Short mmCIF file of all heavy atoms in Angstrom, two decimals:
data_model
loop_
_atom_site.label_atom_id
_atom_site.label_comp_id
_atom_site.label_asym_id
_atom_site.label_seq_id
_atom_site.Cartn_x
_atom_site.Cartn_y
_atom_site.Cartn_z
N GLN A 145 10.49 -6.57 8.57
CA GLN A 145 11.61 -5.92 7.88
C GLN A 145 11.24 -4.41 7.63
O GLN A 145 12.05 -3.54 7.83
CB GLN A 145 11.93 -6.59 6.56
CG GLN A 145 12.58 -7.95 6.84
CD GLN A 145 12.81 -8.78 5.58
OE1 GLN A 145 12.26 -8.41 4.52
NE2 GLN A 145 13.57 -9.84 5.68
N TYR A 146 10.02 -4.16 7.17
CA TYR A 146 9.61 -2.78 6.91
C TYR A 146 9.63 -1.97 8.22
O TYR A 146 10.06 -0.83 8.28
CB TYR A 146 8.18 -2.73 6.33
CG TYR A 146 8.09 -3.17 4.86
CD1 TYR A 146 9.18 -3.60 4.16
CD2 TYR A 146 6.79 -3.12 4.24
CE1 TYR A 146 9.02 -4.00 2.82
CE2 TYR A 146 6.72 -3.49 2.92
CZ TYR A 146 7.77 -3.95 2.22
OH TYR A 146 7.66 -4.31 0.92
N GLY A 147 9.12 -2.61 9.27
CA GLY A 147 9.11 -1.96 10.57
C GLY A 147 10.49 -1.66 11.06
O GLY A 147 10.77 -0.59 11.63
N GLU A 148 11.41 -2.64 10.84
CA GLU A 148 12.81 -2.38 11.29
C GLU A 148 13.44 -1.21 10.50
O GLU A 148 14.14 -0.36 11.08
CB GLU A 148 13.68 -3.67 11.07
CG GLU A 148 15.11 -3.51 11.33
CD GLU A 148 15.48 -3.08 12.75
OE1 GLU A 148 14.69 -3.34 13.67
OE2 GLU A 148 16.61 -2.56 12.91
N GLY A 149 13.11 -1.14 9.18
CA GLY A 149 13.61 -0.01 8.39
C GLY A 149 13.12 1.29 8.90
O GLY A 149 13.86 2.33 9.04
N ALA A 150 11.86 1.35 9.24
CA ALA A 150 11.21 2.63 9.80
C ALA A 150 11.78 2.91 11.16
O ALA A 150 12.07 4.06 11.47
CB ALA A 150 9.69 2.41 9.83
N ARG A 151 11.95 1.91 11.96
CA ARG A 151 12.45 2.06 13.33
C ARG A 151 13.83 2.72 13.30
O ARG A 151 14.20 3.52 14.14
CB ARG A 151 12.41 0.78 14.08
CG ARG A 151 13.22 0.82 15.34
CD ARG A 151 12.69 0.39 16.60
NE ARG A 151 11.35 -0.13 16.79
CZ ARG A 151 10.30 0.62 17.20
NH1 ARG A 151 10.40 1.90 17.37
NH2 ARG A 151 9.16 0.08 17.38
N ARG A 152 14.65 2.36 12.35
CA ARG A 152 16.00 2.92 12.24
C ARG A 152 15.97 4.42 12.00
O ARG A 152 16.88 5.10 12.35
CB ARG A 152 16.80 2.20 11.17
CG ARG A 152 17.18 0.78 11.58
CD ARG A 152 17.83 0.04 10.43
NE ARG A 152 18.10 -1.33 10.84
CZ ARG A 152 19.21 -1.97 10.61
NH1 ARG A 152 20.16 -1.40 9.91
NH2 ARG A 152 19.40 -3.21 10.99
N LEU A 153 14.93 4.87 11.32
CA LEU A 153 14.79 6.29 11.04
C LEU A 153 14.13 7.12 12.18
O LEU A 153 14.43 8.24 12.45
CB LEU A 153 13.94 6.51 9.74
CG LEU A 153 14.68 6.06 8.49
CD1 LEU A 153 13.69 6.09 7.32
CD2 LEU A 153 15.94 6.86 8.20
N TRP A 154 13.24 6.41 12.89
CA TRP A 154 12.45 7.07 13.99
C TRP A 154 12.52 6.14 15.22
O TRP A 154 11.47 5.58 15.63
CB TRP A 154 11.03 7.36 13.57
CG TRP A 154 10.96 8.31 12.44
CD1 TRP A 154 11.04 9.67 12.51
CD2 TRP A 154 10.69 8.01 11.05
NE1 TRP A 154 10.92 10.23 11.27
CE2 TRP A 154 10.69 9.23 10.35
CE3 TRP A 154 10.51 6.85 10.33
CZ2 TRP A 154 10.52 9.28 8.97
CZ3 TRP A 154 10.35 6.89 8.97
CH2 TRP A 154 10.33 8.12 8.34
N PRO A 155 13.66 5.99 15.88
CA PRO A 155 13.80 5.01 16.92
C PRO A 155 12.95 5.27 18.15
O PRO A 155 12.65 4.33 18.93
CB PRO A 155 15.29 5.01 17.26
CG PRO A 155 15.85 6.30 16.75
CD PRO A 155 14.91 6.66 15.56
N SER A 156 12.60 6.55 18.41
CA SER A 156 11.89 6.88 19.64
C SER A 156 10.36 6.80 19.54
O SER A 156 9.68 6.91 20.51
CB SER A 156 12.28 8.25 20.13
OG SER A 156 11.89 9.22 19.15
N LYS A 157 9.93 6.58 18.33
CA LYS A 157 8.42 6.55 18.15
C LYS A 157 7.86 5.18 18.24
O LYS A 157 8.49 4.16 17.93
CB LYS A 157 8.03 7.13 16.77
CG LYS A 157 8.38 8.66 16.56
CD LYS A 157 7.84 9.14 15.30
CE LYS A 157 8.24 10.58 15.05
NZ LYS A 157 7.42 11.49 15.81
N LYS A 158 6.62 5.11 18.70
CA LYS A 158 5.85 3.82 18.73
C LYS A 158 5.67 3.41 17.28
O LYS A 158 5.43 4.22 16.39
CB LYS A 158 4.50 4.05 19.41
CG LYS A 158 3.64 2.83 19.40
CD LYS A 158 2.28 3.14 20.04
CE LYS A 158 1.51 1.83 20.10
NZ LYS A 158 0.25 1.88 19.41
N LEU A 159 5.77 2.12 17.02
CA LEU A 159 5.67 1.59 15.72
C LEU A 159 4.35 0.75 15.55
O LEU A 159 4.17 -0.10 16.42
CB LEU A 159 6.90 0.69 15.35
CG LEU A 159 6.86 -0.11 14.03
CD1 LEU A 159 6.86 0.88 12.82
CD2 LEU A 159 8.04 -1.04 13.97
N ARG A 160 3.62 0.95 14.51
CA ARG A 160 2.42 0.16 14.17
C ARG A 160 2.63 -0.41 12.82
O ARG A 160 3.04 0.28 11.89
CB ARG A 160 1.15 0.97 14.28
CG ARG A 160 0.85 1.46 15.65
CD ARG A 160 -0.43 2.25 15.65
NE ARG A 160 -1.61 1.47 15.33
CZ ARG A 160 -2.78 1.95 15.01
NH1 ARG A 160 -3.01 3.26 14.93
NH2 ARG A 160 -3.81 1.18 14.74
N LEU A 161 2.29 -1.70 12.62
CA LEU A 161 2.37 -2.37 11.35
C LEU A 161 0.99 -2.84 10.92
O LEU A 161 0.38 -3.66 11.60
CB LEU A 161 3.32 -3.61 11.47
CG LEU A 161 4.71 -3.33 12.05
CD1 LEU A 161 5.47 -4.63 12.26
CD2 LEU A 161 5.51 -2.43 11.09
N LEU A 162 0.53 -2.34 9.75
CA LEU A 162 -0.82 -2.66 9.32
C LEU A 162 -0.83 -3.23 7.92
O LEU A 162 -0.17 -2.71 7.01
CB LEU A 162 -1.69 -1.38 9.29
CG LEU A 162 -1.84 -0.56 10.61
CD1 LEU A 162 -2.61 0.65 10.36
CD2 LEU A 162 -2.50 -1.46 11.65
N LEU A 163 -1.62 -4.25 7.75
CA LEU A 163 -1.91 -4.78 6.37
C LEU A 163 -3.32 -4.37 6.03
O LEU A 163 -4.27 -4.61 6.82
CB LEU A 163 -1.75 -6.28 6.32
CG LEU A 163 -0.35 -6.85 6.51
CD1 LEU A 163 -0.45 -8.33 6.76
CD2 LEU A 163 0.48 -6.53 5.26
N VAL A 164 -3.50 -3.75 4.88
CA VAL A 164 -4.82 -3.37 4.41
C VAL A 164 -5.15 -4.27 3.22
O VAL A 164 -4.45 -4.25 2.19
CB VAL A 164 -4.90 -1.88 3.98
CG1 VAL A 164 -6.23 -1.57 3.30
CG2 VAL A 164 -4.73 -1.02 5.22
N PHE A 165 -6.17 -5.07 3.37
CA PHE A 165 -6.66 -5.95 2.28
C PHE A 165 -7.73 -5.23 1.50
O PHE A 165 -8.85 -5.03 1.97
CB PHE A 165 -7.15 -7.26 2.88
CG PHE A 165 -6.06 -8.11 3.49
CD1 PHE A 165 -5.66 -7.96 4.78
CD2 PHE A 165 -5.46 -9.08 2.69
CE1 PHE A 165 -4.60 -8.69 5.31
CE2 PHE A 165 -4.41 -9.87 3.20
CZ PHE A 165 -3.98 -9.65 4.53
N THR A 166 -7.37 -4.84 0.35
CA THR A 166 -8.19 -3.86 -0.46
C THR A 166 -9.48 -4.51 -0.95
O THR A 166 -10.54 -3.79 -1.02
CB THR A 166 -7.42 -3.29 -1.67
OG1 THR A 166 -7.02 -4.39 -2.53
CG2 THR A 166 -6.18 -2.56 -1.15
N ALA A 167 -9.48 -5.76 -1.31
CA ALA A 167 -10.69 -6.36 -1.90
C ALA A 167 -11.83 -6.44 -0.91
O ALA A 167 -13.00 -6.23 -1.30
CB ALA A 167 -10.38 -7.75 -2.42
N CYS A 168 -11.54 -6.68 0.36
CA CYS A 168 -12.61 -6.82 1.35
C CYS A 168 -12.65 -5.64 2.29
O CYS A 168 -13.55 -5.60 3.12
CB CYS A 168 -12.44 -8.10 2.13
SG CYS A 168 -11.00 -8.13 3.19
N GLY A 169 -11.77 -4.69 2.11
CA GLY A 169 -11.78 -3.55 3.04
C GLY A 169 -11.45 -3.87 4.48
O GLY A 169 -11.91 -3.25 5.40
N GLY A 170 -10.62 -4.89 4.65
CA GLY A 170 -10.24 -5.30 5.97
C GLY A 170 -8.83 -4.87 6.30
O GLY A 170 -7.98 -4.57 5.43
N MET A 171 -8.52 -4.86 7.64
CA MET A 171 -7.22 -4.46 8.09
C MET A 171 -6.81 -5.39 9.19
O MET A 171 -7.63 -5.79 10.02
CB MET A 171 -7.22 -3.01 8.58
CG MET A 171 -5.88 -2.55 9.06
SD MET A 171 -5.78 -0.92 9.80
CE MET A 171 -7.23 -0.07 9.25
N VAL A 172 -5.47 -5.73 9.20
CA VAL A 172 -4.89 -6.53 10.27
C VAL A 172 -3.71 -5.78 10.82
O VAL A 172 -2.81 -5.38 10.03
CB VAL A 172 -4.48 -7.92 9.76
CG1 VAL A 172 -3.80 -8.72 10.89
CG2 VAL A 172 -5.60 -8.73 9.21
N GLU A 173 -3.67 -5.57 12.11
CA GLU A 173 -2.53 -4.95 12.75
C GLU A 173 -1.64 -6.08 13.26
O GLU A 173 -2.05 -6.92 14.03
CB GLU A 173 -2.94 -3.98 13.85
CG GLU A 173 -1.72 -3.31 14.45
CD GLU A 173 -2.08 -2.04 15.26
OE1 GLU A 173 -3.25 -1.66 15.28
OE2 GLU A 173 -1.15 -1.43 15.77
N LEU A 174 -0.37 -6.05 12.85
CA LEU A 174 0.55 -7.09 13.31
C LEU A 174 1.32 -6.64 14.53
O LEU A 174 1.62 -5.44 14.66
CB LEU A 174 1.57 -7.42 12.14
CG LEU A 174 0.96 -7.93 10.89
CD1 LEU A 174 2.03 -8.01 9.82
CD2 LEU A 174 0.26 -9.27 11.09
N GLN A 175 1.57 -7.56 15.43
CA GLN A 175 2.35 -7.25 16.57
C GLN A 175 3.79 -7.16 16.17
O GLN A 175 4.23 -7.88 15.31
CB GLN A 175 2.18 -8.28 17.62
CG GLN A 175 0.72 -8.40 18.14
CD GLN A 175 0.16 -7.14 18.59
OE1 GLN A 175 0.76 -6.42 19.48
NE2 GLN A 175 -1.01 -6.78 18.15
N GLU A 176 4.54 -6.24 16.77
CA GLU A 176 5.96 -6.14 16.53
C GLU A 176 6.61 -7.47 16.84
O GLU A 176 6.28 -8.09 17.87
CB GLU A 176 6.57 -5.01 17.37
CG GLU A 176 6.68 -3.72 16.59
CD GLU A 176 7.56 -2.77 17.34
OE1 GLU A 176 8.80 -2.83 17.21
OE2 GLU A 176 6.99 -1.95 18.15
N ILE A 177 7.53 -7.83 16.04
CA ILE A 177 8.30 -9.14 16.21
C ILE A 177 9.68 -8.88 16.70
O ILE A 177 10.32 -7.97 16.21
CB ILE A 177 8.27 -9.89 14.93
CG1 ILE A 177 6.82 -10.18 14.41
CG2 ILE A 177 8.98 -11.21 15.12
CD1 ILE A 177 6.67 -10.65 13.01
#
Side-chain angles (χ1 to χ4, degrees):
Q145 291 173 347
Y146 287 2
E148 175 61 24
R151 167 128 359 264
R152 289 173 182 223
L153 293 171
W154 297 281
S156 64
K157 293 188 185 282
K158 178 183 182 238
L159 173 66
R160 293 180 66 194
L161 305 172
L162 303 176
L163 291 169
V164 171
F165 290 86
T166 63
C168 68
M171 182 184 339
V172 176
E173 183 161 0
L174 300 173
Q175 299 304 309
E176 265 192 85
I177 300 166

